[in-house]
Coordinates of all heavy atoms in Angstrom, one line a residue:
M265 N 175.0 131.0 89.6 CA 175.4 132.3 90.0 C 175.5 132.3 91.5 O 174.6 132.3 92.2 CB 174.4 133.3 89.4 CG 174.7 134.8 89.9 SD 173.7 135.9 89.1 CE 172.6 136.5 90.3
A266 N 176.7 132.6 92.0 CA 176.9 132.7 93.4 C 176.6 134.1 93.9 O 177.1 135.0 93.4 CB 178.3 132.3 93.8
W267 N 175.8 134.1 94.9 CA 175.4 135.4 95.5 C 175.4 135.3 96.9 O 174.5 134.5 97.4 CB 174.0 135.8 94.9 CG 173.6 137.3 95.4 CD1 173.6 138.4 94.7 CD2 173.0 137.7 96.7 NE1 173.2 139.5 95.4 CE2 172.7 139.0 96.7 CE3 172.7 137.0 97.8 CZ2 172.2 139.7 97.7 CZ3 172.2 137.7 99.0 CH2 172.0 139.1 98.8
T268 N 176.1 136.0 97.7 CA 176.1 135.9 99.2 C 176.2 137.3 99.8 O 176.8 138.2 99.1 CB 177.4 135.0 99.7 OG1 178.5 135.5 99.2 CG2 177.2 133.6 99.3
N269 N 175.6 137.3 100.8 CA 175.6 138.5 101.7 C 175.5 138.2 103.2 O 174.6 137.7 103.6 CB 174.5 139.5 101.3 CG 174.5 140.8 102.1 OD1 175.5 141.2 102.7 ND2 173.3 141.5 102.1
T270 N 176.6 138.5 103.9 CA 176.6 138.1 105.4 C 176.1 139.3 106.2 O 176.1 139.1 107.4 CB 178.0 137.8 105.7 OG1 178.9 138.8 105.6 CG2 178.5 136.5 105.0
D271 N 175.7 140.4 105.6 CA 175.3 141.5 106.2 C 176.2 142.1 107.2 O 176.0 142.4 108.4 CB 173.9 141.2 107.0 CG 173.1 142.5 107.3 OD1 173.3 143.6 106.7 OD2 172.3 142.5 108.3
S272 N 177.5 142.0 106.7 CA 178.6 142.5 107.6 C 179.5 143.4 106.9 O 180.6 143.2 106.6 CB 179.4 141.3 108.1 OG 178.7 140.4 108.8
P273 N 179.0 144.6 106.5 CA 179.9 145.6 105.8 C 181.1 146.1 106.5 O 182.1 146.5 105.9 CB 178.9 146.7 105.3 CG 177.7 146.6 106.3 CD 177.7 145.2 106.7
A274 N 181.0 145.9 107.8 CA 182.2 146.3 108.6 C 183.4 145.4 108.4 O 184.6 145.7 108.6 CB 181.9 146.4 110.0
T275 N 183.1 144.2 107.9 CA 184.2 143.2 107.9 C 184.3 142.6 106.4 O 185.2 141.8 106.2 CB 184.1 142.0 108.8 OG1 182.8 141.4 108.6 CG2 184.1 142.6 110.3
S276 N 183.3 143.0 105.5 CA 183.4 142.3 104.2 C 183.2 143.3 103.1 O 182.3 144.0 103.0 CB 182.2 141.4 104.0 OG 182.0 140.9 102.8
D277 N 184.3 143.3 102.2 CA 184.2 144.3 101.1 C 183.1 144.0 100.2 O 182.4 144.9 99.7 CB 185.6 144.3 100.3 CG 186.8 144.9 101.1 OD1 186.5 145.5 102.1 OD2 187.9 144.7 100.6
R278 N 182.8 142.7 100.0 CA 181.7 142.3 99.2 C 180.3 142.9 99.8 O 179.5 143.3 98.9 CB 181.6 140.9 99.1 CG 180.4 140.3 98.1 CD 180.2 138.8 98.3 NE 179.7 138.6 99.6 CZ 180.4 137.7 100.5 NH1 181.4 137.1 100.1 NH2 179.9 137.5 101.7
D279 N 180.2 142.8 101.0 CA 178.9 143.3 101.7 C 178.9 144.8 101.5 O 177.8 145.4 101.4 CB 178.8 142.8 103.1 CG 178.5 141.3 103.2 OD1 178.4 140.6 102.2 OD2 178.5 140.9 104.3
V280 N 180.0 145.5 101.6 CA 180.0 146.9 101.4 C 179.5 147.3 99.9 O 178.7 148.2 99.8 CB 181.5 147.6 101.6 CG1 181.6 148.9 101.1 CG2 181.9 147.4 103.0
I281 N 180.0 146.6 99.0 CA 179.6 146.8 97.7 C 178.2 146.5 97.5 O 177.4 147.3 96.9 CB 180.3 145.9 96.6 CG1 181.9 146.3 96.7 CG2 179.8 146.0 95.2 CD1 182.3 147.7 96.1
R282 N 177.6 145.4 98.0 CA 176.2 145.1 97.9 C 175.4 146.2 98.5 O 174.3 146.7 98.0 CB 176.0 143.7 98.5 CG 176.5 142.6 97.7 CD 175.7 141.3 97.9 NE 176.3 140.2 97.2 CZ 176.3 140.1 95.9 NH1 175.6 140.9 95.2 NH2 176.9 139.0 95.4
Y283 N 175.8 146.7 99.7 CA 175.1 147.7 100.4 C 175.0 149.0 99.5 O 174.0 149.7 99.4 CB 175.8 148.1 101.7 CG 175.1 149.2 102.5 CD1 173.9 149.2 103.2 CD2 175.8 150.4 102.5 CE1 173.3 150.3 103.7 CE2 175.2 151.5 103.0 CZ 174.1 151.5 103.7 OH 173.5 152.5 104.3
L284 N 176.2 149.4 98.9 CA 176.2 150.7 98.2 C 175.5 150.7 96.9 O 175.0 151.7 96.5 CB 177.8 151.0 97.9 CG 178.7 151.4 99.1 CD1 180.1 151.5 98.6 CD2 178.2 152.7 99.7
V285 N 175.5 149.6 96.3 CA 174.6 149.4 95.0 C 173.2 149.0 95.3 O 172.4 149.0 94.3 CB 175.3 148.6 93.9 CG1 176.7 149.1 93.7 CG2 175.4 147.1 94.4
G286 N 172.8 148.6 96.5 CA 171.4 148.2 96.7 C 171.1 146.8 96.4 O 170.0 146.4 96.1
D287 N 172.1 145.9 96.2 CA 171.9 144.5 95.8 C 171.8 143.7 97.0 O 172.6 142.9 97.4 CB 173.0 144.1 94.9 CG 172.9 142.6 94.3 OD1 171.6 142.2 94.4 OD2 173.8 142.1 94.1
L288 N 170.6 143.8 97.7 CA 170.5 143.1 99.0 C 169.5 142.0 99.1 O 169.2 141.5 100.1 CB 170.2 144.1 100.1 CG 171.2 145.3 100.3 CD1 170.7 146.4 101.2 CD2 172.6 144.8 100.8
D289 N 168.7 141.9 97.9 CA 167.7 140.8 97.9 C 168.1 139.6 97.3 O 168.4 139.5 96.0 CB 166.5 141.5 97.1 CG 165.3 140.5 97.1 OD1 165.4 139.4 97.6 OD2 164.3 141.0 96.5
S290 N 168.4 138.5 98.0 CA 168.9 137.3 97.5 C 167.9 136.6 96.4 O 168.3 135.8 95.6 CB 169.2 136.3 98.6 OG 168.0 135.9 99.2
T291 N 166.6 137.0 96.5 CA 165.7 136.4 95.5 C 165.7 137.1 94.1 O 165.1 136.6 93.2 CB 164.1 136.4 96.2 OG1 163.8 137.9 96.3 CG2 164.2 135.8 97.5
A292 N 166.4 138.3 94.1 CA 166.5 139.0 92.9 C 168.0 139.6 92.8 O 168.1 140.8 92.8 CB 165.4 140.2 92.8
P293 N 168.9 138.7 92.7 CA 170.3 139.2 92.7 C 170.6 140.0 91.4 O 170.1 139.7 90.3 CB 171.2 137.9 92.8 CG 170.3 136.8 92.2 CD 168.8 137.3 92.6
L294 N 171.5 141.1 91.5 CA 171.8 141.9 90.5 C 173.2 141.7 90.0 O 173.5 141.9 88.8 CB 171.7 143.4 90.8 CG 170.2 143.8 91.2 CD1 170.2 145.2 91.8 CD2 169.3 143.6 90.0
V295 N 174.1 141.3 90.9 CA 175.6 141.0 90.5 C 176.1 139.8 91.2 O 175.7 139.5 92.4 CB 176.4 142.3 90.8 CG1 176.4 142.7 92.2 CG2 177.7 142.2 90.2
T296 N 177.0 139.1 90.6 CA 177.5 137.9 91.2 C 178.7 138.1 92.2 O 179.3 139.4 92.0 CB 178.1 136.8 90.2 OG1 179.2 137.5 89.5 CG2 177.1 136.5 89.2
D297 N 179.0 137.3 93.0 CA 180.2 137.4 94.0 C 181.4 137.6 93.1 O 182.3 138.4 93.4 CB 180.3 136.2 94.9 CG 179.3 136.1 96.0 OD1 178.5 137.1 96.1 OD2 179.1 135.1 96.6
A298 N 181.5 136.8 92.0 CA 182.7 136.9 91.2 C 182.9 138.2 90.6 O 184.1 138.7 90.4 CB 182.7 135.7 90.2
A299 N 181.9 138.8 90.1 CA 181.9 140.1 89.5 C 182.3 141.2 90.4 O 183.1 142.1 90.2 CB 180.5 140.5 88.9
I300 N 181.8 141.1 91.7 CA 182.2 142.0 92.7 C 183.7 141.8 93.0 O 184.4 142.8 93.2 CB 181.3 141.8 94.0 CG1 179.9 142.3 93.7 CG2 182.0 142.6 95.2 CD1 179.1 142.0 94.9
A301 N 184.1 140.5 93.2 CA 185.5 140.3 93.6 C 186.5 140.8 92.4 O 187.5 141.6 92.7 CB 185.7 138.8 93.7
W302 N 186.2 140.7 91.1 CA 186.9 141.3 90.1 C 187.0 142.8 90.1 O 187.9 143.4 89.9 CB 186.4 140.8 88.7 CG 187.2 141.3 87.6 CD1 188.4 140.8 87.2 CD2 186.9 142.3 86.7 NE1 188.9 141.4 86.1 CE2 188.0 142.4 85.9 CE3 185.9 143.2 86.7 CZ2 188.0 143.5 84.9 CZ3 185.9 144.2 85.7 CH2 187.0 144.3 84.9
E303 N 185.9 143.4 90.3 CA 185.7 144.9 90.3 C 186.5 145.4 91.4 O 187.2 146.4 91.1 CB 184.2 145.4 90.4 CG 183.5 145.2 89.2 CD 183.6 146.1 88.1 OE1 184.5 147.1 88.2 OE2 182.9 146.1 87.0
I304 N 186.7 144.8 92.6 CA 187.4 145.3 93.7 C 188.9 145.3 93.3 O 189.6 146.3 93.6 CB 187.1 144.4 94.9 CG1 185.7 144.7 95.4 CG2 188.1 144.6 96.0 CD1 185.3 143.8 96.5
T305 N 189.3 144.4 92.5 CA 190.8 144.3 92.1 C 191.0 145.4 91.0 O 192.2 145.7 90.7 CB 191.2 143.0 91.5 OG1 190.5 142.8 90.2 CG2 190.9 141.8 92.5
Q306 N 190.1 146.0 90.4 CA 190.3 146.9 89.3 C 190.3 148.4 89.7 O 190.7 149.2 89.0 CB 189.2 146.7 88.2 CG 189.0 145.4 87.6 CD 190.4 144.9 86.9 OE1 190.8 145.5 86.0 NE2 191.0 143.8 87.4
W307 N 189.9 148.7 91.0 CA 189.7 150.0 91.3 C 190.4 150.2 92.6 O 190.7 149.3 93.5 CB 188.2 150.4 91.5 CG 187.5 150.2 90.2 CD1 186.8 149.2 89.8 CD2 187.5 151.2 89.2 NE1 186.2 149.4 88.6 CE2 186.6 150.6 88.2 CE3 187.9 152.4 89.0 CZ2 186.4 151.3 87.0 CZ3 187.7 153.1 87.9 CH2 186.9 152.6 86.9
P308 N 190.9 151.5 92.9 CA 191.7 151.8 94.1 C 191.0 151.9 95.4 O 191.5 151.8 96.5 CB 192.4 153.2 93.8 CG 191.5 153.8 92.7 CD 190.9 152.7 92.0
N309 N 189.6 152.0 95.3 CA 188.8 152.0 96.4 C 187.4 151.3 96.2 O 186.9 151.2 95.1 CB 188.7 153.4 97.2 CG 187.9 154.3 96.3 OD1 186.8 154.2 95.9 ND2 188.7 155.5 95.9
L310 N 186.6 151.1 97.3 CA 185.4 150.4 97.2 C 184.3 151.3 96.5 O 183.4 150.8 95.9 CB 184.9 149.9 98.5 CG 185.8 148.8 99.2 CD1 185.3 148.4 100.6 CD2 185.9 147.6 98.3
Y311 N 184.4 152.5 96.7 CA 183.4 153.4 96.1 C 183.5 153.5 94.6 O 182.5 153.6 93.9 CB 183.6 155.0 96.7 CG 183.3 154.9 98.1 CD1 184.2 154.9 99.2 CD2 182.0 155.0 98.6 CE1 184.0 155.0 100.4 CE2 181.6 154.9 99.9 CZ 182.6 155.0 100.9 OH 182.3 155.0 102.2
L312 N 184.7 153.4 94.0 CA 184.9 153.4 92.6 C 184.4 152.0 92.0 O 183.8 152.1 91.0 CB 186.2 153.7 92.2 CG 186.7 155.2 92.4 CD1 188.2 155.3 92.1 CD2 185.9 156.1 91.5
A313 N 184.7 151.0 92.8 CA 184.3 149.6 92.3 C 182.7 149.6 92.5 O 182.1 149.0 91.5 CB 184.8 148.5 93.3
A314 N 182.1 150.2 93.4 CA 180.6 150.3 93.5 C 180.0 151.0 92.4 O 179.1 150.7 91.8 CB 180.2 150.7 94.9
A315 N 180.7 152.2 92.1 CA 180.2 153.0 90.9 C 180.2 152.2 89.6 O 179.3 152.3 88.9 CB 181.0 154.3 90.8
S316 N 181.3 151.5 89.4 CA 181.4 150.7 88.1 C 180.3 149.6 88.1 O 179.7 149.3 87.1 CB 182.8 150.0 88.1 OG 182.9 149.3 86.9
I317 N 180.1 149.0 89.3 CA 179.0 147.9 89.4 C 177.8 148.5 89.2 O 176.8 148.0 88.4 CB 179.2 147.1 90.7 CG1 180.5 146.3 90.6 CG2 177.9 146.3 90.9 CD1 180.8 145.7 91.9
A318 N 177.4 149.8 89.7 CA 176.2 150.5 89.6 C 175.8 150.7 88.2 O 174.7 150.5 87.7 CB 176.1 151.7 90.4
D319 N 176.9 151.2 87.4 CA 176.7 151.3 86.0 C 176.3 150.0 85.3 O 175.5 150.0 84.4 CB 178.0 151.9 85.3 CG 178.2 153.4 85.5 OD1 177.3 154.0 85.9 OD2 179.3 153.8 85.4
S320 N 176.9 149.0 85.6 CA 176.6 147.6 85.0 C 175.2 147.2 85.3 O 174.4 146.6 84.5 CB 177.6 146.5 85.5 OG 178.9 146.8 85.1
I321 N 174.8 147.5 86.5 CA 173.4 147.2 87.0 C 172.4 148.1 86.2 O 171.4 147.6 85.7 CB 173.2 147.4 88.5 CG1 174.0 146.3 89.3 CG2 171.7 147.4 88.9 CD1 174.0 146.6 90.8
A322 N 172.7 149.3 85.9 CA 171.9 150.2 85.2 C 171.7 149.6 83.8 O 170.5 149.7 83.2 CB 172.3 151.6 85.2
V323 N 172.7 149.1 83.2 CA 172.7 148.6 81.8 C 171.7 147.3 81.9 O 170.9 147.1 81.0 CB 174.0 148.2 81.4 CG1 174.0 147.4 80.0 CG2 174.9 149.5 81.1
L324 N 172.0 146.5 82.9 CA 171.1 145.3 83.0 C 169.7 145.8 83.2 O 168.8 145.1 82.5 CB 171.6 144.5 84.3 CG 170.7 143.4 84.7 CD1 170.8 142.2 83.7 CD2 171.1 142.8 86.1
L325 N 169.4 146.7 83.9 CA 168.0 147.0 84.1 C 167.3 147.7 82.9 O 166.2 147.6 82.6 CB 167.9 148.0 85.4 CG 168.2 147.4 86.7 CD1 168.1 148.5 87.8 CD2 167.2 146.3 87.0
G326 N 168.3 148.4 82.1 CA 167.8 149.0 80.9 C 167.3 148.0 79.9 O 166.5 148.3 79.0
R327 N 167.6 146.8 80.0 CA 167.2 145.6 79.1 C 165.7 145.4 79.4 O 165.1 144.8 78.5 CB 168.1 144.5 79.3 CG 169.5 144.7 78.9 CD 170.5 143.6 79.4 NE 170.2 142.4 78.7 CZ 170.7 141.2 79.1 NH1 171.5 141.1 80.2 NH2 170.6 140.2 78.4
T328 N 165.1 145.8 80.5 CA 163.8 145.5 80.8 C 162.8 146.6 80.3 O 161.7 146.5 80.4 CB 163.5 145.3 82.3 OG1 163.9 146.4 83.0 CG2 164.4 144.1 82.7
Q329 N 163.4 147.7 79.9 CA 162.6 148.9 79.5 C 161.5 148.6 78.5 O 161.8 148.0 77.4 CB 163.4 150.0 79.0 CG 162.7 151.3 78.7 CD 163.7 152.3 78.2 OE1 164.8 152.2 78.2 NE2 163.1 153.5 77.9
G330 N 160.3 148.8 78.8 CA 159.2 148.7 77.8 C 158.7 147.2 77.8 O 157.9 146.9 76.8
M331 N 159.2 146.3 78.4 CA 158.9 144.9 78.3 C 157.5 144.7 79.0 O 157.1 145.4 79.9 CB 159.8 144.0 79.1 CG 161.2 143.9 78.5 SD 162.3 142.8 79.3 CE 161.5 141.2 79.2
R332 N 156.7 143.8 78.4 CA 155.4 143.5 78.8 C 155.3 142.0 79.2 O 155.8 141.2 78.5 CB 154.3 143.7 77.8 CG 154.1 145.3 77.6 CD 152.9 145.5 76.6 NE 151.7 144.9 77.0 CZ 150.7 145.4 77.8 NH1 151.0 146.5 78.5 NH2 149.6 144.7 78.0
A333 N 154.7 141.7 80.3 CA 154.5 140.4 80.7 C 153.1 140.3 81.5 O 152.9 141.0 82.4 CB 155.6 139.8 81.6
D334 N 152.3 139.4 81.0 CA 151.0 139.2 81.7 C 150.3 140.5 81.8 O 149.6 140.8 82.8 CB 151.2 138.5 83.1 CG 151.7 137.2 83.0 OD1 151.3 136.4 82.0 OD2 152.5 136.7 83.9
G335 N 150.3 141.3 80.8 CA 149.5 142.5 80.8 C 150.1 143.7 81.5 O 149.6 144.8 81.7
V336 N 151.3 143.5 82.1 CA 152.0 144.6 82.8 C 153.1 145.1 82.1 O 154.0 144.3 81.6 CB 152.4 144.0 84.2 CG1 153.3 145.0 85.0 CG2 151.3 143.4 85.1
T337 N 153.3 146.4 81.9 CA 154.4 147.0 81.2 C 155.4 147.5 82.3 O 155.0 148.2 83.3 CB 154.0 148.2 80.3 OG1 152.9 147.6 79.5 CG2 155.1 148.8 79.7
F338 N 156.7 147.1 82.1 CA 157.7 147.5 83.1 C 158.2 148.9 82.7 O 158.3 149.2 81.6 CB 158.8 146.5 83.0 CG 158.4 145.2 83.6 CD1 158.0 144.3 82.8 CD2 158.5 144.9 84.9 CE1 157.6 143.0 83.2 CE2 158.2 143.7 85.4 CZ 157.7 142.7 84.5
G339 N 158.4 149.7 83.7 CA 158.9 151.1 83.6 C 160.4 151.1 83.2 O 161.0 150.0 83.0
D340 N 160.8 152.3 83.2 CA 162.3 152.5 82.9 C 163.0 152.3 84.3 O 163.5 153.3 84.9 CB 162.5 153.9 82.4 CG 164.0 154.1 81.8 OD1 164.7 153.2 82.0 OD2 164.1 155.1 81.2
A341 N 163.3 151.1 84.6 CA 164.0 150.8 85.8 C 165.4 151.3 85.9 O 166.0 151.7 86.9 CB 164.1 149.3 86.0
A342 N 166.2 151.3 84.7 CA 167.5 151.9 84.6 C 167.5 153.4 85.0 O 168.3 153.8 85.7 CB 168.1 151.7 83.2
K343 N 166.5 154.1 84.4 CA 166.6 155.5 84.7 C 166.3 155.8 86.2 O 166.9 156.6 86.8 CB 165.4 156.2 83.9 CG 165.5 157.7 83.8 CD 164.5 158.4 83.0 CE 164.8 158.0 81.5 NZ 163.8 158.7 80.6
E344 N 165.4 154.9 86.7 CA 165.1 155.2 88.2 C 166.3 154.7 89.1 O 166.5 155.4 90.0 CB 163.9 154.3 88.5 CG 162.6 154.8 87.9 CD 161.4 153.9 88.1 OE1 161.4 153.2 89.2 OE2 160.5 153.9 87.4
Y345 N 166.9 153.7 88.7 CA 168.2 153.2 89.3 C 169.3 154.2 89.4 O 169.8 154.6 90.4 CB 168.6 151.9 88.9 CG 169.8 151.3 89.6 CD1 169.6 150.7 90.9 CD2 171.2 151.6 89.2 CE1 170.7 150.1 91.5 CE2 172.2 151.0 89.9 CZ 172.0 150.4 91.1 OH 173.1 150.0 91.9
R346 N 169.4 154.9 88.2 CA 170.5 155.8 88.0 C 170.1 157.1 89.0 O 171.0 157.8 89.5 CB 170.7 156.3 86.6 CG 171.5 155.3 85.8 CD 171.9 156.0 84.5 NE 172.5 154.9 83.6 CZ 173.8 154.6 83.6 NH1 174.6 155.2 84.4 NH2 174.3 153.8 82.8
A347 N 168.8 157.5 89.0 CA 168.4 158.6 89.8 C 168.6 158.4 91.3 O 169.1 159.1 92.1 CB 166.9 158.9 89.5

C-alpha cells in the first residue's frame, strides 16, 4: 500500500486531501495514494473528493467497533471520526 505525504498542501492535491481527512500518520495510514488519485478524478473539487474519502474512512473505522484485543475494547471510532 503506497502512502506518501510531502507535507506540501500548497503544491500537492494528495497532501490537501490527507490534511482535510486527517490521514497524516504514516504508521497508521487510512487511505492509499491510488485511492486519493482516483477520487480526485471523480469529483469537481478537492473538498468533494475529501468528503467521499472521509466517508470511506468512517466505514473502515466502523469495522473496529466493539472489537477486543488484549483486554481492551475499542470504542466507536467511526462515530467519533464522523463527529
Side-chain angles (χ1 to χ4, degrees):
M265 172 169 109
W267 186 101
T268 53
N269 180 16
T270 59
D271 198 25
S272 301
T275 59
S276 168
D277 288 349
R278 182 194 61 240
D279 289 358
V280 169
I281 298 289
R282 290 208 186 282
Y283 173 77
L284 290 173
V285 302
D287 185 22
L288 302 172
D289 184 356
S290 64
T291 65
L294 299 171
V295 64
T296 65
D297 291 349
I300 291 173
W302 182 80
E303 288 281 0
I304 289 171
T305 69
Q306 301 303 302
W307 299 96
N309 65 59
L310 296 178
Y311 293 99
L312 291 173
S316 180
I317 290 169
D319 282 342
S320 297
I321 291 170
V323 169
L324 172 71
L325 294 176
R327 296 164 72 190
T328 64
Q329 181 177 358
M331 288 180 67
R332 288 184 55 84
D334 294 328
V336 176
T337 301
F338 294 90
D340 191 352
K343 192 178 292 183
E344 292 176 26
Y345 182 81
R346 284 192 188 273

